[in-house]
């Protein structure tokens, strides 16, 4: 039975018509045209799909760009928030630091005010300097007070010579010294303890009123007691051995050299607060001369000067204030040693002399600039 007869029997008319059309498209004569049409159709379809894909990609890229901008905006906002938080933290830290510094300053000022209110009220003055420098085999055996010294001319000193010696002491071990005299007066309402260092007290006549002044009372610990309204006379012998003076001359540092004595003042019944006076005597009682066989020449008319420096032992940190209030001597000693170490380091840096290599390097750097 033929296909047409079968289709006519079993299939509806519309389907039979479609099958005939397909048959006519794929017969030998129309197959190339049909295939070409299919190829064109597929190409058009692929182009449409590609265009849709490109549009979809563009939409995706646009969406991604929008998301990237949004993310960047969020990042900028987060950065601004971080900067604001950092500035707030810095401001808070600065405020805390300022508050701490203000509290420390307040504590130090309070401690200084308390010390100023409770230190002994003692005035110190130098009222006389002996006109001539002195030379003695042993200046510690001289009488107190030593108000005047015999006027002599220059004395030639030889290193090992014992000429003029009573105890066979060579000239290099003799003492060359300056003598000055001072006056203390307690103008406070409370007695004060005085601890001398390189200072000798004696009884004598008041240089201004002419009244007789007794030597201050001495405790079993060697401290002097100066009562309210009491005056005291003292003597300072600024001494060095001849050899020490000569070494200074050789170093050409005599203008920087000085002898120091101290007077420390305390309340009568407390160890604090402490104040003191540094008595600084400057001068050079010896000179060198050619010929070389002369060790040194003592010059009795050498000029010297005396300076007074009033000192108060103020705390310089809250830690020191706390240690003082607690009476912690170990902590006070540790703080003192730390300050001395820092002072020593600063002096080493200040006195450091640049080496030749470092000087050349600095010069080269300056030229390079």
């Amino acid at each position: 039975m033929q296909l047409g007869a079968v289709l006519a029997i079993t299939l509806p008319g519309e389907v039979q018509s479609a099958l005939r059309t397909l048959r006519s498209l794929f017969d030998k004569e129309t197959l190339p045209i049909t295939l070409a049409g299919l190829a064109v159709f597929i190409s058009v379809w692929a182009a449409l799909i590609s265009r849709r894909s490109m549009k979809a990609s563009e939409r995706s890229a646009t969406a991604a760009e929008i998301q990237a901008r949004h993310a960047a905006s969020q990042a900028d906002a987060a950065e601004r928030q971080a900067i604001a938080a950092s500035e707030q933290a810095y401001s808070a830290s600065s405020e805390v630091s300022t508050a701490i510094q203000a509290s420390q300053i307040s504590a130090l000022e309070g401690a200084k005010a308390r010390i100023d209110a409770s230190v002994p009220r003692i005035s110190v003055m130098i009222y006389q300097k002996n006109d001539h420098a002195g030379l003695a085999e042993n200046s510690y055996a001289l009488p107190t007070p030593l108000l005047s010294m015999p006027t002599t001319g220059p004395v030639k000193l030889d290193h090992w010579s014992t000429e003029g010696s009573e105890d066979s002491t060579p000239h290099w071990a003799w003492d060359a010294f300056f003598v000055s005299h001072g006056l203390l007066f307690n103008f406070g309402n409370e007695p004060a303890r005085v601890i001398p260092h390189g200072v000798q007290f004696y009884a004598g006549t008041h240089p201004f009123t002419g009244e007789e002044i007794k030597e201050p009372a001495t405790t079993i610990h060697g401290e002097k007691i100066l009562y309210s309204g009491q005056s005291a006379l003292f003597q300072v012998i600024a001494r060095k051995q001849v050899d020490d003076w000569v070494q200074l001359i050789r170093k050409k540092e005599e203008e920087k050299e000085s002898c120091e004595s101290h007077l420390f003042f305390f309340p009568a019944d407390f160890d604090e607060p402490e104040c003191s006076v540094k008595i600084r005597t400057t001068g050079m009682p010896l000179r060198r001369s050619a010929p070389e066989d002369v060790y040194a020449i003592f010059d009795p008319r050498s000029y010297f000067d005396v300076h007074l420096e009033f000192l108060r032992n103020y705390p310089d940190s809250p830690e020191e204030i706390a240690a003082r209030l607690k009476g912690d001597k170990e902590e006070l000693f540790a703080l003192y040693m730390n300050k001395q170490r820092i002072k020593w380091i600063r002096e080493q840096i200040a006195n450091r002399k640049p080496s030749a290599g470092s000087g050349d390097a600095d010069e080269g750097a300056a030229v390079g600039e």
Side-chain angles (χ1 to χ4, degrees):
M1 184 179 291
Q2 294 183 354
L3 178 59
V6 175
L7 291 174
I9 294 172
T10 61
L11 295 176
E14 293 81 359
V15 175
Q16 292 179 10
S17 177
L19 290 174
R20 290 189 186 94
T21 303
L22 287 173
R23 182 179 179 184
S24 63
L25 290 174
F26 288 97
D27 58 14
K28 293 180 180 181
E29 296 178 356
T30 60
L31 180 61
I33 298 172
T34 302
L35 293 175
L38 287 174
V40 171
F41 175 77
I42 292 171
S43 298
V44 172
W45 181 258
L48 291 173
I49 292 176
S50 176
R51 185 176 179 182
R52 290 180 179 180
S53 299
M54 289 179 62
K55 288 183 178 181
S57 298
E58 290 177 358
R59 288 193 295 270
S60 299
T62 302
E65 183 179 359
I66 293 173
Q67 289 178 352
R69 290 177 182 176
H70 182 66
S73 177
Q74 290 179 339
D76 291 340
E79 184 178 1
R80 287 193 296 269
Q81 290 178 352
I83 293 173
S86 176
E87 291 176 351
Q88 290 177 353
Y90 177 78
S91 177
S93 176
S94 299
E95 290 177 358
V96 171
S97 177
T98 302
I100 293 174
Q101 186 177 9
S103 65
Q104 290 178 347
I105 293 174
S106 177
L108 293 174
E109 289 179 347
K112 182 177 179 180
R114 289 193 297 272
I115 290 174
D116 290 340
S118 55
V119 292
R121 298 293 192 264
I122 298 179
S123 62
V124 185
M125 65 172 298
I126 299 295
Y127 69 88
Q128 179 183 342
K129 297 191 304 178
N130 285 17
D131 293 335
H132 305 290
L135 179 68
E137 184 177 0
N138 180 12
S139 63
Y140 292 90
L142 295 173
T144 303
L146 188 61
L147 297 177
S148 63
M149 289 177 285
T151 303
T152 61
V155 180
K156 292 183 180 180
L157 302 173
D158 294 326
H159 191 274
W160 291 110
S161 174
T162 58
E163 182 180 353
S165 171
E166 296 180 359
D167 298 324
S168 299
T169 305
H171 287 174
W172 69 266
W174 284 38
D175 294 328
F177 55 89
F178 301 105
V179 180
S180 56
H181 299 269
L183 177 69
L184 294 183
F185 177 66
N186 184 357
F187 62 89
N189 297 323
E190 301 292 336
R193 289 180 296 135
V194 182
I195 300 178
H197 180 74
V199 176
Q200 300 167 306
F201 287 93
Y202 61 90
T205 303
H206 196 289
F208 306 119
T209 65
E211 65 176 334
E212 292 300 316
I213 299 178
K214 296 181 179 180
E215 184 177 343
T218 305
T219 68
I220 59 175
H221 302 293
E223 302 171 339
K224 303 294 182 178
I225 300 297
L226 197 64
Y227 294 96
S228 176
Q230 184 180 0
S231 299
L233 298 171
F234 66 88
Q235 169 180 278
V236 176
I237 298 181
R239 57 167 70 85
K240 285 184 184 293
Q241 283 190 338
V242 166
D243 192 56
D244 293 332
W245 289 115
V246 170
Q247 295 302 322
L248 294 172
I249 295 175
R250 288 174 176 171
K251 294 179 181 179
K252 298 181 179 180
E253 295 180 355
E254 59 270 19
E255 69 279 3
K256 299 180 181 179
E257 186 53 35
S258 64
C259 300
E260 294 182 356
S261 301
H262 297 83
L263 288 167
F264 300 95
F265 307 118
F266 299 88
D269 50 356
F270 295 101
D271 290 334
E272 286 193 356
E274 170 194 339
C275 60
S276 64
V277 171
K278 180 192 296 184
I279 305 171
R280 188 169 180 265
T281 304
T282 58
M284 177 55 66
L286 302 181
R287 56 184 171 87
R288 298 296 300 272
S289 75
E292 291 298 331
D293 58 338
V294 177
Y295 178 60
I297 296 177
F298 169 70
D299 186 1
R301 296 187 178 275
S302 302
Y303 173 80
F304 75 101
D305 202 358
V306 182
H307 302 271
L308 299 180
E309 184 178 358
F310 293 82
L311 305 172
R312 291 188 180 180
N313 188 15
Y314 294 124
D316 57 5
S317 68
E319 291 78 13
E320 186 174 350
I321 294 175
R324 286 193 183 187
L325 293 175
K326 293 186 295 184
D328 191 339
K329 294 183 178 180
E330 293 184 358
E331 179 67 16
L332 287 173
F333 179 75
L335 292 171
Y336 171 78
M337 293 303 296
N338 186 54
K339 287 192 290 187
Q340 293 300 314
R341 181 179 63 83
I342 295 173
K343 180 181 178 181
W344 180 83
I345 293 174
R346 289 176 177 173
E347 289 177 351
Q348 293 298 313
I349 294 174
N351 297 330
R352 182 183 298 168
K353 295 181 180 179
S355 61
S358 63
D360 295 341
D362 294 342
E363 184 178 355
V367 172
E369 293 178 357

